[in-house]
Amino acid sequence: MCGIVGYVGHNEKKQILLDGLGELEYRGYDSAGLAVLSNNTLQAFKATGKLYNLADKTKDFSSSGFGVGIAHTRWATHGKPTEINAHPHTGEFSYVVHNGIIENHKDIKEELTKQGCVFLSQTDTEVIVHLFEQELKAKQNPRVAWENTTAKLKGAYAILLISKVAPDVIFYAKNGAPLLIGKAKDSSADSEEIYFASADAPLIGLVDEVVYLEDGAVGDSSDFASLTPKVALTHSRSFAQKNGFRYFMEKEIYEQEQVLLETMMGRVCEDNIILDEIPSTFLEQLDEITICACGTSHNAAMVGKYLLERKARIRTNVVLASEFRYAKPILLKNELFIAISQSGETADTLEAIKLAKSQGLRTLAICNVDNSSIVREADVTLLTRAGIEKGVASTKAFATQVMLLWILSVFLGIKRSVIDAKGIASERATMIAAIAATKVNQGLHDRLRRLSKRYLHGHGFFFIGRDVFYPLALEGALKLKEISYLHAEGYASGEMKHGPIALVDANLFTIALMPKHLLYEKIVSNVEELSARDATICVLAQEEFALADDWIQINKAQSYMEEFFAMMVALQLLALEVAIRLGNDVDMPRNLAKSVTVE
């Protein structure tokens, strides 16, 4: 999830681009870069780290007169966050910036290499600029060459390209990643200025109107007059950064469908699972797996245990990082150690992976932040691609961790000959359906907003579920605790009779996860036991349950994982709405930090 901006006009291009990136830095800050074409001179600058490094690098640069410019702030997906991998990427006479993933970049790169193109970076983005320049050799018209280029790209992308062959325009393409184009009157030159950005915020106060480009849009900056619908920008930058949502956490819940697609891209294919990050011999002679994590990541790890044992038929242990180092753990030679962390800086998890490495174990990190401490420590890394998560209480990071563990379990299942071609097709279809289930239904959100007022009192909550819905119950309880400050506990529903049921009365709220496709009759029996003790019961299910006091209806689903992701969103929204009603700061809950860097 990167940020891109573009400008066409007579004003100082460097500062416009830097200011625009400043409004988008929350989308990525591994590296940044800009390119400006003015007076037939094409210049580019790149820097790793935060945006101020790029500002320092360009302090002596300025561009006067008419020109075009593009800029990018990066959240690394393909290739380390180095200066050579930073955008913009160059060909012989063009530069490109890109947000998203080009799924077929390897095939394109192979073909272009045969044609004599030389690649400098590890990124998927670089193929775009070389492909454009090759198309231009065959089609002398730059616009046609650009249309032919984008027609060959598969994946999700927002792209801006500038080239000496068309020095008056910025070429654009949009498919599955956000991109806006705006226009303003350039009073100094009695002409129009055109702006591009990944979000509203960089354009507020600069443009009179914008067009939110639709998927499939391909063209150049001269198209603005013919594009519709045009929308006036009237809100504040703070409002724009949140895309109109009340809180970043709410925005991030709504983003989950998009980021889960990014987690899948280039990995889940029609007939195979491809994890290029994992060397071919890395998972050979593997007897068992240990997954180590804290908090929300530990809940995701527990889901991963069910999936890895079920789909890959490999014994999997899950340990709390804070306990692992001090338990004198027994580590086996043919054991894979997986560390999960959103930030990659979680102190307990970092020390645990160091211990595993010191014992000679293979180590794999599942993380959202490239070049973080845990990523640098691990032998192999799978990035979740969730983008920056500003809400302290994790939502989309949890979702992408679970998705990546699911992908890994199928990948291992294929390697271990547990999953055949038919199974791959089934898993892929289920993943796509599960991602669709995270799209927030506005009617459901409104229902949860109304329902939340009934759950502000009492003496606590039980969240209950079985199998993968047990760690989901733990996660639902954790979300409510983190932002509402109400007491909540998650339990495997079959454990209620082994002690916790002593607490049950009418003022004890039970949130029951009742998937139709997994152990439904078993959990029905558990909920009946609670109902007989006068518990107040809120059921999440496809179909109404007679003993429920409240029913949160999820959409019809064909698999338990589809139900899992649908219920995950409902639990996040319920916690959000309860916390808002209690007047809490949802994004910055008390006593918590986004990255826990101390034991």
Side-chain angles (χ1 to χ4, degrees):
M1 185 175 286
C2 309
I4 60 178
V5 292
Y7 172 72
V8 181
H10 287 80
N11 286 320
E12 171 53 65
K13 285 154 279 298
K14 178 191 77 174
Q15 201 55 50
I16 290 172
L17 296 173
L18 287 174
D19 290 347
L21 290 185
E23 296 296 332
L24 295 174
E25 195 171 17
Y26 71 94
R27 297 177 66 91
Y29 46 80
D30 290 331
S31 59
L34 61 84
V36 171
L37 173 57
S38 183
N39 299 317
N40 203 39
T41 300
L42 190 55
Q43 292 179 272
F45 303 86
K46 302 181 185 184
T48 57
K50 297 291 184 71
L51 185 58
Y52 57 72
N53 293 328
L54 179 64
D56 184 63
K57 206 165 192 178
T58 57
K59 62 184 178 182
D60 298 324
F61 169 70
S62 64
S63 59
S64 59
F66 178 82
V68 299
I70 55 176
H72 185 276
T73 181
R74 183 172 187 243
W75 191 256
T77 54
H78 290 82
K80 297 288 184 182
T82 60
E83 192 168 299
I84 203 164
N85 286 331
H87 299 215
H89 290 288
T90 184
E92 295 179 37
F93 46 80
S94 313
Y95 275 97
V96 69
V97 294
H98 161 229
N99 173 28
I101 293 173
I102 306 302
E103 291 183 18
N104 60 335
H105 74 280
K106 286 188 174 180
D107 294 338
I108 297 173
K109 185 174 183 178
E110 184 178 339
E111 183 61 32
L112 290 172
T113 301
K114 291 177 182 176
Q115 296 173 21
C117 293
V118 177
F119 288 82
L120 303 177
S121 75
Q122 299 169 296
T123 69
D124 57 335
T125 301
E126 193 180 352
V127 301
I128 302 169
V129 67
H130 290 300
L131 182 58
F132 169 73
E133 292 187 350
Q134 289 299 106
E135 287 290 334
L136 195 63
K137 291 176 182 178
K139 309 286 185 184
Q140 296 300 310
N141 184 310
R143 176 67 176 251
V144 174
W146 179 240
E147 291 170 353
N148 289 350
T149 297
T150 57
K152 294 181 178 180
L153 303 178
K154 295 180 181 178
Y157 49 78
I159 308 170
L160 299 180
L161 180 143
I162 58 176
S163 178
K164 281 188 173 183
V165 298
D168 298 339
V169 298
I170 295 176
F171 293 101
Y172 67 83
K174 191 267 189 202
N175 187 57
L179 187 62
L180 294 74
I181 179 172
K183 185 200 75 172
K185 183 74 172 178
D186 185 346
S187 56
S188 65
D190 194 29
S191 63
E192 291 181 348
E193 297 174 289
I194 298 295
Y195 292 79
F196 291 90
S198 300
D200 293 350
L203 305 187
I204 291 171
L206 296 176
V207 303
D208 306 314
E209 52 189 4
V210 298
V211 174
Y212 295 83
L213 294 169
E214 299 289 338
D215 284 350
V218 177
D220 65 59
S221 51
S222 66
D223 297 338
F224 184 82
S226 62
L227 296 174
T228 58
K230 294 179 172 66
V231 180
L233 284 184
T234 57
H235 41 257
S236 68
R237 284 203 166 117
S238 173
F239 181 93
Q241 282 190 343
K242 295 175 185 173
N243 284 6
F245 293 104
R246 296 165 292 175
Y247 292 93
F248 281 107
M249 181 181 176
E250 182 179 32
K251 170 178 172 283
E252 287 154 7
I253 292 170
Y254 274 72
E255 284 178 347
Q256 287 176 123
E257 181 187 23
Q258 178 60 45
V259 298
L260 285 168
L261 285 170
E262 293 199 18
T263 303
M264 275 184 64
M265 281 177 190
R267 292 167 168 163
V268 181
C269 306
E270 289 187 12
D271 58 357
N272 201 6
I273 301 291
I274 300 172
L275 293 175
D276 289 330
E277 303 94 325
I278 300 178
S280 58
T281 60
F282 186 72
L283 298 176
E284 290 180 356
Q285 296 181 322
L286 191 65
D287 293 333
E288 66 179 80
I289 295 172
T290 292
I291 311 178
C292 184
C294 300
T296 284
S297 296
H298 184 263
N299 295 336
M302 291 178 67
V303 178
K305 170 183 169 65
Y306 285 103
L307 296 174
L308 283 159
E309 293 192 338
R310 181 169 294 142
K311 299 181 185 298
R313 303 304 301 158
I314 185 165
R315 182 166 55 248
T316 303
N317 314 300
V318 177
V319 295
L320 285 163
S322 57
E323 291 292 312
F324 177 74
R325 279 198 300 146
Y326 305 105
K328 298 190 184 301
I330 298 171
L331 303 175
L332 305 178
K333 178 183 177 182
N334 290 333
E335 182 176 344
L336 172 65
F337 190 87
I338 300 177
I340 306 179
S341 169
Q342 188 282 137
S343 67
E345 304 295 344
T346 311
D348 290 313
T349 310
L350 177 59
E351 292 306 316
I353 199 171
K354 288 179 179 178
L355 175 59
K357 283 195 74 173
S358 72
Q359 298 295 312
L361 268 65
R362 287 167 277 184
T363 57
L364 185 151
I366 291 178
C367 188
N368 192 36
V369 182
D370 201 0
N371 211 35
S372 58
S373 297
I374 288 172
V375 166
R376 292 196 302 271
E377 193 68 38
D379 298 320
V380 172
T381 297
L382 295 175
L383 292 176
T384 58
R385 305 173 181 168
I388 290 178
E389 189 177 60
K390 282 202 165 186
V392 168
S394 180
T395 51
K396 61 180 180 176
F398 172 78
T400 53
Q401 287 169 358
V402 171
M403 176 56 70
L404 200 45
L405 285 163
W406 185 2
I407 292 169
L408 178 62
S409 70
V410 178
F411 179 78
L412 266 170
I414 296 167
K415 286 187 71 71
R416 295 165 64 86
S417 301
V418 178
I419 297 177
D420 59 14
K422 185 177 179 181
I424 295 169
S426 174
E427 293 290 345
R428 180 178 183 273
T430 304
M431 287 176 184
I432 292 170
I435 290 173
T438 65
K439 184 178 180 64
V440 178
N441 179 299
Q442 197 57 54
L444 171 66
H445 194 170
D446 292 342
R447 160 94 169 127
L448 291 166
R449 187 178 290 117
R450 294 191 302 272
L451 196 62
S452 63
K453 64 179 179 287
R454 298 174 59 172
Y455 291 93
L456 306 178
H457 62 288
H459 57 76
F461 290 77
F462 279 174
F463 287 71
I464 62 172
R466 281 182 175 266
D467 202 276
V468 293
F469 294 88
Y470 163 43
L472 183 58
L474 290 170
E475 178 62 13
L478 180 59
K479 287 286 93 59
L480 190 67
K481 278 185 278 199
E482 286 178 318
I483 61 175
S484 75
Y485 319 139
L486 297 174
H487 185 73
E489 298 295 336
Y491 288 101
S493 59
E495 289 298 299
M496 295 303 299
K497 64 177 75 69
H498 298 289
I501 201 167
L503 294 173
V504 170
D505 61 24
N507 290 316
L508 193 287
F509 301 126
T510 297
I511 311 296
L513 310 182
M514 301 184 67
K516 180 178 179 181
H517 297 291
L518 190 65
L519 302 174
Y520 180 77
E521 295 302 327
K522 294 293 184 184
I523 196 167
V524 164
S525 176
N526 302 142
V527 174
E528 287 173 343
E529 293 166 356
L530 294 168
S531 179
R533 275 78 178 176
D534 208 25
T536 298
I537 297 169
C538 177
V539 163
L540 277 71
Q542 293 188 53
E543 298 172 355
E544 193 168 7
F545 181 64
L547 298 179
D549 297 284
D550 288 307
W551 173 37
I552 299 172
Q553 183 181 16
I554 64 168
N555 290 338
K556 297 293 183 183
Q558 302 302 313
S559 73
Y560 69 87
M561 286 306 290
E562 196 177 341
E563 293 177 295
F564 177 97
F565 279 96
M567 290 186 192
M568 175 196 73
V569 171
L571 291 174
Q572 293 167 346
L573 290 172
L574 177 63
L576 175 85
E577 294 302 335
V578 168
I580 290 172
R581 281 195 183 272
L582 291 170
N584 299 338
D585 185 338
V586 170
D587 287 336
M588 301 181 67
R590 69 189 186 197
N591 305 334
L592 299 179
K594 190 64 186 171
S595 178
V596 183
T597 56
V598 295
E599 288 193 68

